[in-house]
Amino acid sequence: MRVVVVGQGPAGLLTADWAHRLGAEVFVAAAADGSLALWSGAWDFRSFADSGEVVRDPWQWWDLHGRQRGVAWNREDWVRWWTRWRDTWSAAGIPLAAGAELPSHNRWTPTAVGRLRPVFVCPAWQWAADEPEPVIWVGLEGLADTPIALASARYHALTGMTATGVCLPRPDAWVPHWSGLAWSVYVDSEPGRQWLTEALTRALRDHAGTSPVLMPQMLGQDGCETLIGQLEAALGRPVREYALLPPAVGGIRIRDRWKRALKRRGVTWVSGTVGAVRKEGVQFRDTGELLPADAVVLATGGILGGGLWLSAAGELFNTGTGEMVPWSGRMEDLARAGIGTEGPAYRAVGRVVGGFDSDRDGDSGAVNLYTVASAMEALFGERTAGEGWQHSEEGP
Amino acid sequence: MAHSDACLKCTICIAACPVYRKDGEFPGPKALGPEWHRRHLAGTGDLMDHVDDCTFCQLCEGACPVGVPVAHLIAEHKAAALPKQTWPMRVRDTVLTHPEWVARAPVLTRATALVPISRWLKLSTRSQRPSVRKAPRLSRSSRRAAVGGGRPRVALFVDCFDRGFDTEAMLAAQALMEVFGFEVHQVPRTSQCCGAAAYASGRVAQARRQAGAMEQAIRGELRGDEVALITLNATCQGTIGEEWSKFLGLNDLPVPVIPFHVFALQHAPAGFWSTVAAANVDPGSWTWTHTTCRGRRRGDGALFQLARRAGMDQVEPLDLECCGAAGSYAFKAEHAETAHDIGQPAAAQIHGRPGVIWVDSGTCAVHLEQLAGRTARHPAYWLWQAWLTSQSASATPPAPAGHGEPRDGGS
Amino acid sequence: MVVVVGAGATGLGVAWDLSLRGIAVTVIEQGDIAHGTSGRFHGLLHSGARYAVRDPDAARECIEENRILRRIAAGAIESVGGYFVKTPASPDDYGARWLAAMDAVGIPVEPVSREALRTAVPELHPDVKGGYWVPDGVIHGFPLLFRLQKAIEARGGRVQHHTRLVEVAVDHGSVCRVRVSSASGSEWIACDALVNAAGPWAGKVSELFDDPLTMRLSRGLMIIFAERKTAHVVNRLAPPGDGDILVPHDRVTIWGTTDEPTASPAADPPQRSETQKLLSLGRDLFPSMEQWRALRAFSGVRPLYQPESAADPRHITRDFTVIDHGRRGGPAGVVSVVGGKWVTFRLMAEKAADAVTAYLGLGATSATAETPLPPLPTPGEDARTPWLCECEQVGERDLAAWPGATLAEWRTRTWFSMGPCQGTFCLHRVANRRIAATNLAALDAEEVALREEREQGMQGALWGDNAREWALSQAVRRQTLGERT
């Protein structure tokens, strides 16, 4: 079976990965890079209830409210698919934070401005804790996205815990346009690694204790685990990152590792904007070329991802098919607009599906997992139960 | 330029930029492209340092979710900065942006091996110069394509690199397509450039002139019944297939423009693949595939499929989005270090394992070969070698490939 | 001492004019500088061509003031020139009438061929039939007003913003003091005269003394596009109507406008249905306009005034009126200045100041037409700090030039958050520079207000890539920064 996945955000890559594991020949058709590079890689499953209150146990929340939202899974289903997803990431070399092997509740991760947000699954390099605690909050001189004055004040105001703000002076190599990603490039170099170790050691010399060191997310592009280990050894404290604005180094690490693994397994990428989906495959808009497929999965994203397009006349379109998508026309309904999980010639996964307000509620991880798993069940049926599931790194 | 105003500031282009991810001085595609351009239109777009460090790999443009022509806006920026170039750089770039001259007299590149000349011209003394690989006459008998008349026709685009340095690859591609059952003729007859090199260096007007002349030549030489124009170089492929109409004001050619390896996957008969695969060329050796940055504008993975289909023992894609060669980029002294750093991960990945590299661009092959210490050639060359091996191994040649055979759809 | 109500172009212009005459002034402004109409216009420096046919007096004033502003406010004016473009829909006879009127008023005009027009403005519709060049320009309103403010303060005048006029006291028929209220409480200010330059609020202000004005407020809508889409102003060669002008304004382009009566002096935010209609009116001039990247939409309220009733606001004069209330039975020493155009603010100010000086019995005359406005100090060069706002290239030094400013004040003074991302990537960076001067709760409120202000404008033009920008902004706010409001 040949599966064409349209889009390469988190839902698209997960679809490609699983379809390949289930024995399909997989093509990813994408008009652009996916959204992974925008976000740190922390996945939320359900952070806030409709009332706005923080959800402690997302699985329980889905148990109680899932059916009203068309999600019929019970906890065992969640755990089964969640475990597959974790194994998939693990096989691609993306490590989860300790304590996230099978999370039972949301934890807290601080944002760059000192707010806390609930998070269910966190890559190993990012800071997440059950309860707020005193921290060393590190900022970088010349990196405007590490507002330590603001962040440490806010962290303290919100948690009652001290956030000791530490600002590392900029190295000689620094130039004003350095983003978190450019800083990562620097600390990937040997002089950069030395500079960071020395600057941190010097800055923390007068701070007794073992409270964790929260670093901006710039601890290297690919070798961050090694660097974090070295820093922890040098400082005698836990060292973890907090997420920055895009370009998000955490998401870039995930993207790079995941795509590398998929390419080595033989998943093929085809660039282009899909403008039509037919029974026999997808058709590219500019060239009119047809990419034959036995099954098509739209993982094109919502408004931001480009799977939905709001015209000047106020009409909403499914960009993958060119079809109009019904919505009320009211702004407050836009975030929930979408195409559903199934069309005449495609399955849909991720944000394009609609029905959820993931930015507000914090449930994009659950929506991705549920919609991708549902697509797998629809396409592969019994095989998803375990027999046909390949965990080896070799492709079909 | 269409969509020049669409930028969301999302920074996905930055995350896709191979130079940004190696060179801390480089301001990145967002700053050099759309942000500069927006100020430029308002008359306040001061030229920025390091704009010339862009390789024109166009990965930023391929990554952009809203279709901003990021790389082409940077090319406009480069064009605006041309007057700042020193004379030796102008002389050098004049030569480098006329690869059709070099193709006529490839031995000239040997002169640049003389260090003083290289230094004056700001040519890299580090980058290996391509060696000239003139094909020995291909043995007619080995082609096995003696199918009668009425075979479908393809035109094979002769790029400057292959014309000057690697007629082996070109003739291998021609022979293979004849084996596939096609009649092949080469275009253009005389050495010309599609404009890619000039565009990459910010010489947009020159690129337009070169492209226009090349288009006239190709149109004049096409016979009208070709099913495709086949390219061996991803950069020329992108320039002719995409940039000509989108950015250089030309009309699309009357035939689809297709890379050789994609054409092979679509049109080589199943019998060809089984024959080649059965030959089991070089067991135990690795085949690394690298789709060049410009090739990635079409996608990634087709080369990998090609090598697998041909039965290569162990196939692995190089973990590189761009190798750093970027046409003549690596030959410029000011870029030598960045070009080296960008491609360096290939060496670490290969790390002592035996094997060869399949790559869809001649200059990238030269660069990768130097970096990784493994022979790097165009897939047409490798495929032809495998075919020759299979032919010498088998006593009875396989049935000639018939065009009417169903395509092998893969899997 | 003269109290001027309103720190828009007119109010600051009056205060500047009086300052140059040696008269002490205090300006009272309910919001920030340019809070009202002066901060909500398309930025056109009229040549007068738009009004030549119907309102020749206003047109004459426009061209004269156009020339004066280029002299006294260099740096805040872009001399881009404008075109009046004939489309297939242009009325056949209008061109001739317009040319005759232009000649009568004395506005320079040059015919331009269709080909030359298309070369100058490549985005124009291929069916345009040629047109005329006129000396239109562009005013950078905010910097010009900040220059006025600094110039007034340099001469000892005061500008109190976020201060509202709440009471006008009259003694023996003449104004003697006013009570003002601000966050720090209310106070009485003694004054010899009062100038009501409150723009659309002039009617409300006039209710505080006993001579109410009946304003004819008219709301106009504008759409901002993210990039400079034309190098020159483009007008439709037709009687004034909706959707007839495109103005390049620094790095953006503004398309306007509409004209509908309104009772509310506060400009009601644009509704999508309105902006969609305005956008569709651009098709016959710029066929690609619907694909241009919209940035936001906004509305402004024209403070029109006409003693006699008139139905259609576009028929009300664009000329201005100076009302000496003492002469028509109201309190002596109170002068209102209403109507007019941004481009004629200096002349309006001069006439209002003339009325004030006449009342005060002083002989001084206006010097504003001959006195160049001092430029704003340019922040020192420091290439070693990062941009905080990358779209508009605002750095620490730009913020430092306005010490103590709130986020909202920094926005209009440094232009941060005004570019394509509308603050998504820079607000938290700028907020970090503000925390030292305020407390967290106050800063949170400033952030929320600025986010809301930006989002309101974006929502008015929420289609295409701007809708994607909006979605990105939502995701960054809620997911990356953890904002909950």
Side-chain angles (χ1 to χ4, degrees):
Chain A
M1 172 153 75
R2 182 193 276 214
V3 175
V4 171
V5 183
V6 186
Q8 52 173 331
L13 290 191
L14 190 57
T15 305
D17 197 312
W18 284 357
H20 192 267
R21 282 181 193 284
L22 289 162
E25 183 196 15
V26 177
F27 283 76
V28 176
D33 215 344
S35 62
L36 278 161
L38 298 181
W39 320 116
S40 74
W43 281 38
D44 40 19
F45 269 57
R46 182 78 192 194
S47 299
F48 302 99
D50 294 349
S51 64
E53 276 174 46
V54 170
V55 168
R56 179 171 161 79
D57 180 347
W59 282 335
Q60 184 186 40
W61 188 92
W62 284 107
D63 262 349
L64 291 172
H65 306 283
R67 262 161 242 282
Q68 295 155 261
R69 288 160 174 80
V71 177
W73 280 0
N74 56 33
R75 189 179 284 246
E76 291 79 66
D77 297 318
W78 281 110
V79 169
R80 186 170 77 251
W81 284 102
W82 189 90
T83 307
R84 282 183 182 140
W85 172 68
R86 181 202 57 198
D87 293 345
T88 299
W89 263 25
S90 172
I94 305 159
L96 295 186
E101 283 75 19
L102 191 60
S104 59
H105 57 274
N106 278 321
R107 298 193 292 163
W108 295 104
T109 192
T111 72
V113 291
R115 292 195 177 88
L116 293 172
R117 78 180 183 95
V119 65
F120 196 55
V121 181
C122 214
W125 48 69
Q126 186 164 332
W127 181 252
D130 285 338
E131 295 300 334
E133 59 184 294
V135 295
I136 307 281
W137 193 291
V138 181
L140 301 168
E141 185 191 5
L143 181 58
D145 278 338
T146 60
I148 46 173
L150 185 63
S152 53
R154 195 178 265 136
Y155 185 84
H156 177 68
L158 290 172
T159 66
M161 300 289 162
T162 48
T164 308
V166 168
C167 185
L168 302 188
R170 57 206 190 191
D172 293 339
W174 176 86
V175 291
H177 58 67
W178 272 13
S179 64
L181 178 57
W183 277 91
S184 299
V185 171
Y186 175 61
V187 303
D188 275 342
S189 73
E190 187 50 31
R193 193 190 61 78
Q194 274 177 18
W195 170 84
L196 180 62
T197 313
E198 283 163 23
L200 262 181
T201 310
R202 201 175 307 121
L204 297 180
R205 193 176 293 151
D206 301 329
H207 297 282
T210 55
S211 49
V213 178
L214 270 56
M215 289 291 298
Q217 190 160 74
M218 44 66 76
L219 294 176
Q221 299 174 88
D222 215 9
C224 63
E225 289 92 340
T226 312
L227 181 57
I228 288 173
Q230 288 168 348
L231 292 174
E232 290 186 333
L235 300 172
R237 301 163 180 268
V239 175
R240 291 291 184 276
E241 294 175 326
Y242 58 87
L244 299 179
L245 274 81
V249 177
I252 291 169
R253 290 173 195 146
I254 294 172
R255 178 197 68 181
D256 290 352
R257 292 177 191 191
W258 206 351
K259 284 179 71 168
R260 187 181 304 159
L262 290 172
K263 283 180 183 176
R264 287 184 178 206
R265 281 159 50 196
V267 172
T268 304
W269 263 256
V270 183
S271 307
T273 305
V274 168
V277 179
R278 311 186 188 295
K279 285 264 178 268
E280 59 272 25
V282 300
Q283 191 166 26
F284 291 101
R285 200 169 61 196
D286 291 346
T287 61
E289 276 175 40
L290 186 89
L291 179 60
D294 301 306
V296 177
V297 181
L298 291 185
T300 45
I303 298 259
L304 175 57
L308 301 174
W309 176 260
L310 184 59
S311 78
E315 292 159 335
L316 197 62
F317 290 91
N318 173 355
T319 57
T321 62
E323 293 163 329
M324 212 191 282
V325 179
W327 74 295
S328 68
R330 289 194 303 267
M331 277 303 304
E332 60 269 30
D333 295 334
L334 191 58
R336 288 178 184 279
I339 63 174
T341 54
E342 199 175 353
Y346 60 81
R347 304 283 313 183
V349 297
R351 283 271 176 122
V352 73
V353 167
F356 303 93
D357 188 346
S358 293
D359 288 334
R360 192 196 66 187
D361 300 332
D363 61 5
S364 49
V367 172
N368 281 334
L369 186 62
Y370 177 73
T371 53
V372 174
S374 303
M376 293 301 109
E377 283 173 335
L379 297 180
F380 298 96
E382 289 294 297
R383 231 187 302 174
T384 58
E387 288 302 306
W389 204 262
Q390 296 183 32
H391 276 295
S392 83
E393 283 318 287
E394 271 307 301
Chain B
M1 226 177 261
H3 299 296
S4 64
D5 58 352
C7 179
L8 303 180
K9 308 284 171 177
C10 74
T11 74
I12 279 181
C13 57
I14 292 174
C17 174
V19 180
Y20 191 87
R21 296 185 66 177
K22 288 293 174 192
D23 176 4
E25 301 267 308
F26 190 63
K30 177 170 75 87
L32 292 170
E35 286 182 351
W36 171 81
H37 183 255
R38 184 166 175 265
R39 296 197 303 278
H40 176 65
L41 286 177
T44 51
D46 292 343
L47 300 172
M48 295 170 70
D49 292 338
H50 302 290
V51 63
D52 279 326
D53 293 339
C54 158
T55 63
F56 207 50
C57 71
Q58 305 187 17
L59 290 170
C60 50
E61 202 161 312
C64 177
V66 288
V68 175
V70 186
H72 292 84
L73 294 175
I74 299 176
E76 297 286 328
H77 194 167
K78 287 178 187 172
L82 283 179
K84 284 169 69 179
Q85 280 197 323
T86 61
W87 270 107
M89 288 164 95
R90 281 185 209 192
V91 172
R92 175 196 71 185
D93 285 7
T94 299
V95 175
L96 290 178
T97 57
H98 284 96
E100 74 274 24
W101 298 348
V102 181
R104 283 179 207 136
V107 288
L108 286 181
T109 54
R110 286 190 202 150
T112 66
L114 297 170
V115 171
I117 293 181
S118 274
R119 290 246 163 90
W120 186 76
L121 283 173
K122 297 261 185 284
L123 282 165
S124 165
T125 52
R126 188 171 183 174
S127 295
Q128 189 175 302
R129 305 293 187 264
S131 43
V132 180
R133 284 149 164 169
K134 286 286 182 196
R137 274 179 64 85
L138 287 167
S139 143
R140 194 86 209 164
S141 63
S142 62
R143 297 194 199 173
R144 310 254 177 231
V147 186
R151 290 185 299 166
R153 199 191 301 277
V154 293
L156 175 60
F157 175 76
V158 185
D159 60 275
C160 300
F161 183 89
D162 286 325
R163 187 189 295 276
F165 297 100
D166 198 359
T167 47
E168 273 182 0
M170 210 170 62
L171 292 179
Q174 170 152 359
L176 283 165
M177 290 190 289
E178 285 171 2
V179 170
F180 300 162
F182 291 84
E183 178 128 348
V184 184
H185 71 101
Q186 299 178 358
V187 296
R189 282 187 206 99
T190 55
S191 184
Q192 300 205 48
C193 174
C194 62
Y199 212 150
S201 293
R203 295 179 172 216
V204 182
Q206 180 189 326
R208 199 164 277 132
R209 282 196 304 275
Q210 288 172 305
M214 171 73 95
E215 188 224 6
Q216 285 306 309
I218 293 180
R219 277 183 193 276
E221 294 177 31
L222 287 177
R223 297 171 197 182
D225 57 352
E226 292 88 350
V227 294
L229 176 69
I230 305 300
T231 66
L232 297 183
N233 183 301
T235 305
C236 308
Q237 162 76 37
T239 303
I240 297 171
E242 200 180 342
E243 286 178 318
W244 275 13
S245 60
K246 255 171 100 172
F247 300 104
L248 293 172
L250 300 177
N251 293 320
D252 281 326
L253 289 173
V255 289
V257 186
I258 301 176
F260 168 80
H261 61 277
V262 173
F263 185 81
L265 281 171
Q266 288 172 349
H267 292 276
F272 172 82
W273 297 115
S274 53
T275 306
V276 172
N280 194 16
V281 185
D282 224 354
S285 166
W286 286 82
T287 299
W288 288 283
T289 56
H290 178 60
T291 302
T292 61
C293 47
R294 291 290 298 275
R296 271 158 211 261
R297 291 304 305 274
R298 289 183 61 92
D300 189 15
L303 270 183
F304 179 90
Q305 302 301 349
L306 188 84
R308 277 208 172 169
R309 191 87 59 88
M312 295 302 127
D313 200 20
Q314 301 167 98
V315 186
E316 188 175 277
L318 286 183
D319 301 333
L320 290 176
E321 296 295 313
C322 168
C323 71
S328 57
Y329 183 87
F331 295 128
K332 299 180 183 177
E334 68 271 26
H335 299 148
E337 189 182 340
T338 303
H340 176 268
D341 290 351
I342 290 174
Q344 192 54 41
Q349 182 183 347
I350 286 172
H351 190 65
R353 288 181 284 167
V356 298
I357 301 171
W358 297 28
V359 54
D360 56 343
S361 152
T363 45
C364 300
V366 173
H367 188 65
L368 282 170
E369 195 163 284
Q370 184 185 359
L371 279 171
R374 298 289 178 279
T375 307
R377 302 294 298 269
H378 192 274
Y381 170 83
W382 293 121
L383 204 54
W384 179 246
Q385 296 305 310
W387 173 254
L388 289 181
T389 307
S390 71
Q391 294 310 286
S392 59
S394 72
T396 49
H403 171 65
E405 272 189 59
R407 285 180 198 173
D408 182 356
S411 69
Chain C
M1 158 69 77
V2 178
V3 169
V4 180
V5 184
T10 318
L12 290 174
V14 170
W16 171 233
D17 197 301
L18 292 170
S19 298
L20 283 178
R21 299 184 203 216
I23 297 168
V25 292
T26 294
V27 182
I28 306 301
E29 166 57 52
Q30 61 172 333
D32 189 11
I33 308 290
H35 165 77
T37 309
S38 298
R40 309 182 143 270
F41 80 124
H42 44 41
L44 177 66
L45 179 75
H46 273 283
S47 60
R50 169 58 67 219
Y51 305 117
V53 172
R54 190 167 285 161
D55 211 339
D57 291 342
R60 195 167 291 113
E61 288 164 4
C62 282
I63 186 63
E64 283 166 9
E65 289 301 308
N66 177 309
R67 289 173 179 140
I68 292 171
L69 285 183
R70 287 169 198 264
R71 282 204 311 270
I72 66 168
I77 305 293
E78 287 183 74
S79 296
V80 295
Y83 294 104
F84 274 72
V85 174
K86 269 189 288 191
T87 70
S90 297
D92 288 340
D93 62 330
Y94 186 75
R97 279 164 51 210
W98 180 77
L99 278 175
M102 293 287 280
D103 188 47
V105 176
I107 303 171
V109 57
E110 285 170 26
V112 182
S113 72
R114 177 181 173 277
E115 289 66 35
L117 203 52
R118 294 257 294 146
T119 306
V121 187
E123 302 272 353
L124 270 174
H125 199 292
D127 291 349
V128 298
K129 297 196 284 187
Y132 301 91
W133 177 91
V134 299
D136 280 345
V138 176
I139 311 175
H140 292 183
F142 282 98
L144 180 48
L145 295 193
F146 297 131
R147 281 164 72 175
L148 275 170
Q149 179 198 359
K150 296 261 183 194
I152 293 161
E153 289 171 346
R155 289 188 165 257
R158 294 176 61 197
V159 180
Q160 290 178 228
H161 48 59
H162 299 289
T163 301
R164 191 179 283 275
L165 181 74
V166 289
E167 200 172 339
V168 177
V170 175
D171 184 24
H172 293 94
S174 299
V175 62
C176 62
R177 53 185 187 147
V178 295
R179 189 161 68 87
V180 300
S181 144
S182 68
S184 54
S186 80
E187 60 168 326
W188 283 98
I189 302 174
C191 62
D192 304 305
L194 175 68
V195 179
N196 172 15
W201 285 271
K204 303 264 183 213
V205 167
S206 69
E207 290 168 9
L208 296 174
F209 48 85
D210 205 14
D211 186 13
L213 300 169
T214 304
M215 300 295 292
R216 301 277 172 185
L217 302 182
S218 153
R219 179 168 166 271
L221 206 66
M222 282 145 279
I223 299 170
I224 308 181
F225 296 104
E227 187 180 82
R228 191 177 173 103
K229 283 292 184 186
T230 167
H232 314 280
V233 176
V234 176
N235 303 267
R236 191 190 295 277
L237 184 64
D242 289 351
D244 62 3
I245 185 162
L246 187 74
V247 182
H249 198 282
D250 199 4
R251 294 165 195 172
V252 301
T253 314
I254 303 178
W255 169 243
T257 170
T258 61
D259 206 331
E260 49 157 333
T262 177
S264 163
D268 295 330
Q271 302 299 308
R272 268 179 56 96
S273 54
E274 297 178 297
T275 44
Q276 279 164 11
K277 182 158 169 263
L278 174 60
L279 184 71
S280 68
L281 294 173
R283 274 183 209 140
D284 67 333
L285 277 177
F286 298 98
S288 60
M289 187 181 274
E290 289 182 12
Q291 278 81 55
W292 295 357
R293 163 77 143 76
L295 201 58
R296 54 194 284 114
F298 68 100
S299 63
V301 174
R302 302 178 187 87
L304 303 184
Y305 174 78
Q306 182 125 323
E308 306 86 346
S309 68
D312 181 351
R314 207 172 268 113
H315 292 182
I316 299 174
T317 180
R318 285 339 202 220
D319 206 350
F320 62 89
T321 310
V322 173
I323 298 148
D324 186 337
H325 291 274
R327 288 174 186 250
R328 46 177 253 178
V334 180
V335 171
S336 288
V337 53
V338 289
K341 301 295 300 171
W342 220 112
V343 64
T344 59
F345 84 93
R346 192 213 59 84
L347 182 64
M348 295 161 68
E350 177 183 326
K351 298 298 179 195
D354 282 350
V356 171
T357 41
Y359 166 75
L360 295 175
L362 301 170
T365 56
S366 175
T368 51
E370 294 82 38
T371 312
L373 282 168
L376 292 173
T378 43
E381 287 293 319
D382 176 13
R384 296 296 289 171
T385 58
W387 298 124
L388 302 177
C389 163
E390 288 161 25
C391 305
E392 298 293 339
Q393 296 206 320
V394 179
E396 308 228 10
R397 63 201 160 111
D398 301 290
L399 300 180
W402 302 93
T406 62
L407 294 181
E409 288 164 355
W410 267 335
R411 176 174 73 80
T412 53
R413 286 155 181 80
T414 69
W415 227 240
F416 95 87
S417 81
M418 302 287 239
C421 88
Q422 294 283 290
T424 304
F425 287 84
C426 61
L427 180 54
H428 64 287
R429 299 172 179 175
V430 175
N432 192 47
R433 271 63 188 179
R434 174 96 180 106
I435 183 71
T438 185
N439 61 60
L440 201 58
L443 182 57
D444 278 350
E446 283 184 23
E447 276 195 68
V448 169
L450 199 130
R451 291 271 194 229
E452 282 174 357
E453 189 277 337
R454 296 284 84 188
E455 286 187 359
Q456 191 174 71
M458 290 180 84
Q459 291 200 11
L462 204 74
W463 57 76
D465 290 324
N466 199 39
R468 299 181 72 174
E469 184 81 69
W470 177 80
L472 175 64
S473 169
Q474 294 300 305
V476 166
R477 281 185 54 185
R478 291 169 183 278
Q479 303 217 13
T480 310
L481 296 174
E483 292 179 17
R484 291 292 291 152
T485 45

